[in-house]
Amino acid sequence: MKTQVGIIGSGPSGLILAQILHLQGIESIILERKTTDYVLTRIRAGVLEQSCVDLLRQAQASKRMDIEGIMHDGFDIAYSGEAHHVNLKKLTGTGVMIYGQTEITRDLIDLRRKNGGVIIEEAEVTTIENITSKSPIIHYLKDGVEHQIQCDFVTGCDGYHGASRKSIPQDILKTHEQIYPFGWLGILSETPPVSKELIYTRHERGFALCSMRNEMLSRYYIQVPIDDKVEDWSDDRFWDELKKRLPKDAANKLVTGPSIEKSIAPLRSFVCENMRYGNLFLAGDAAHIVPPTGAKGLNSAASDIHYLSNALIQYYKNGDEQGLDQYAEKALKRVWKAERFSWWMTNLLHKLPNSDGDSGSFTAKMQLAELDYLFESEAALKSLAENYIGLPY
Ligand code: FAS
Ligand code: PHB
């Protein structure tokens, strides 16, 4: 089999790229090791930067988002029992869109099927051959049989555990990683959100986040030790712990209900600097991971796809390779700033090792001083706001 662009992974990175290339008449094949039904069971990101919204509109994949998405002009940060508002709209002129990654994936898979695009499901990519040649070959297993696809370019959109990054020779691979000693226990419940906008909470018991997907679908998270198991957390235990971490008025208003999804996500910061190797291009979680605190995971995947799709279109339309040659440098520049912001917000709001409670440690004092400064200085708050809505592409 042959195609122009071989895309490994049908998460948001692979699907958005395939759709934008399709609109330009550039052919691609998506290889996905799971079924698309399985991919649609994943509950992940919820907050979209305006640039990500614009990219989905450019991909003509925003019809349902433009109807069902909710624009938020700000969010709250609660600490020492009080909630403080971050007015994104006033500070930056824009807000963020609340629309679940699962819905984005659903919309893109529907579009792919409608325009006859190929997604080969349950196709596990094992190796990529001749990566530095003009026609790399993707090898994949399906129903126990080995297949291959020859392409001009391979895009590794296969997430942190995918095969593409592992195809880069170890002796040239350059990665950076920080693993946090805690995770996020998240639940989805068919209950009205506790507040109209998000509430990020710093509490001596640990971080908590109140988010949502729509007026009757709430998403909550609490920080838990990295070795906690989801079966250790009954719904009742979760709701009790969440209430202990929220400001009183939010805790009193909280509508609880049965969880329809419950999982623990580990937190890590990770960057692979080789976002290009030969004719293999990495994008999204295959190249970088952030702790979800700053809502930058999906949004950084979007900026990669913006740069990569433009570069591929430039190549196929005018034979110009400049975009491809500059891709890694351009994408990494924005990725590192998203990594910094996510790392900063994670260290600001989570219960960190050697910080026993509010008054007991220097670390906790630094967090509280930073939060006091944030809400006393418009300059500091504007800095947080411009990072949260997303730095320019
Ligand atoms: P994805 O991981 O979404 O997709 C990669 C795809 O490649 C998968 O479908 C996988 O099955 C497939 N694949 C892997 N190896 C393959 C192989 N060898 N062959 C074929 N296919 C292969 N971000 C936020 O902003 N907010 C959040 O709250 C948030 N929560 C998250 C929770 C979890 C548990 C995880 C893992 C991530 C979370 N993220 C969050 C980040 C997440 O949204 C990612 O940024 C986003 O999924 C990135 O999309 P992709 O790059 O497409 O990678
Ligand atoms: C979510 O709604 O899943 C969400 C929102 C904001 C974050 C992380 C996750 O920072």
Side-chain angles (χ1 to χ4, degrees), residues 181-187 222-235 237-238 262-266:
F182 42 79
W184 279 19
L185 166 60
I187 71 158
I222 57 171
Q223 171 188 352
V224 293
I226 190 60
D227 47 9
D228 265 19
K229 300 273 172 292
V230 68
E231 45 274 16
D232 300 337
W233 285 88
S234 69
D235 287 2
R237 185 185 173 200
F238 179 91
K262 183 159 52 177
S263 55
I264 295 179

Side-chain angles (χ1 to χ4, degrees), residues 8-15 31-34 38-39 42-47 101 123-126 157-164 184 209 213 219 221 263-266 283-286 288-290 292 294-299 301:
I8 309 174
S10 73
S13 298
L15 288 164
L31 295 160
E32 168 53 54
R33 72 174 161 194
K34 300 289 186 185
Y38 178 88
V39 171
R42 293 182 188 133
I43 308 294
R44 288 191 177 165
V47 172
Q101 174 178 320
E124 171 107 32
V125 169
T126 49
C157 300
D158 47 352
Y160 180 74
H161 301 288
S164 58
W184 279 19
L209 171 59
R213 292 293 177 269
R219 180 76 167 152
Y221 298 95
S263 55
I264 295 179
D285 277 17
H288 42 75
I289 298 281
V290 283
K296 292 297 164 214
L298 172 59
N299 290 300

Side-chain angles (χ1 to χ4, degrees), residues 11 30 121 162 203 215 234 237 312-313 315 347 359 375:
I30 298 177
E121 300 180 44
H203 191 279
E215 287 78 11
S234 69
R237 185 185 173 200
L312 287 166
I313 292 164
Y315 171 79
N347 281 286
S359 52
F375 292 102

